[in-house]
Amino acid sequence: ITRDGVTAYSRANDEGHEEMMQILLAAGAVLEQVVDPGNLATGSQLQAYYTPTYKWYDAQITAKNDDGTYEIAWNDGDTKDTHNKTIEELMMLASQLSPEHLALLAAGDDVTAFYKNSSWYTGKIADMSDGNVTVNWDDQDSQDRVKVIRQVRFKVSLLAHRLT
């Protein structure tokens, strides 16, 4: 089960709920899957842009098309807007990256990050260290800038272009 692209286990971990983490693991909770942004595989969990509402929602890759676009399935079961998604329309969490791919993110990169545990907002990476990302918010807000990597996402195209 995910909410805003974060598994229940990861959210419990971020919030220090060790007992809940154990309950979730015992119930078969899935940890976040490592995804290669340069080679998205069938079954990769990410967020995709849903054109009818102009918002991002949890989805998974179901196929890669010959033209480099992707077929997706929405995690909520919706069947609209699932064809020919470009890498610009796909977003993933920084926590889904291998250490090698995570190292490719840099200061100045565009991201969205979870602000005060309420909503995703846009910004740029200011710094990355010790598993945290410091974000400069696009609206110049100076609060809640240090995020754990599970609270930061970016367009797949950002790293896909660096890997080619």
Side-chain angles (χ1 to χ4, degrees), residues 45-117:
Q45 292 287 329
L46 38 66
Q47 293 81 50
Y49 190 71
Y50 186 67
T51 307
T53 62
Y54 307 105
K55 293 184 180 182
W56 297 87
Y57 294 99
D58 293 338
Q60 68 174 306
I61 300 293
T62 58
K64 183 174 183 177
N65 299 320
D66 292 339
D67 64 359
T69 62
Y70 293 89
E71 302 298 304
I72 62 150
W74 300 109
N75 289 3
D76 68 3
D78 193 339
T79 57
K80 294 185 220 81
D81 198 28
T82 60
H83 303 290
N84 303 314
K85 292 290 186 183
T86 67
I87 57 175
E88 290 290 331
E89 297 173 291
L90 303 174
M91 195 175 284
M92 60 187 289
L93 295 168
S95 58
Q96 292 177 278
L97 293 172
S98 67
E100 297 80 25
H101 289 141
L102 186 61
L104 295 174
L105 291 175
D109 285 344
D110 290 322
V111 295
T112 60
F114 212 55
Y115 182 77
K116 293 188 177 181
N117 293 324

Side-chain angles (χ1 to χ4, degrees), residues 18 24 32 71-72 79 82 99 102 118 143 146 149:
E18 291 183 30
L24 289 166
E32 287 168 344
E71 302 298 304
I72 62 150
T79 57
T82 60
L102 186 61
S118 64
Q143 296 180 27
V146 179
I149 62 171

Side-chain angles (χ1 to χ4, degrees), residues 8-24:
Y9 177 86
S10 296
R11 189 171 307 279
N13 182 42
D14 289 347
E15 295 174 3
H17 301 295
E18 291 183 30
E19 185 177 323
M20 180 57 72
M21 290 166 45
Q22 296 305 316
I23 292 168
L24 289 166

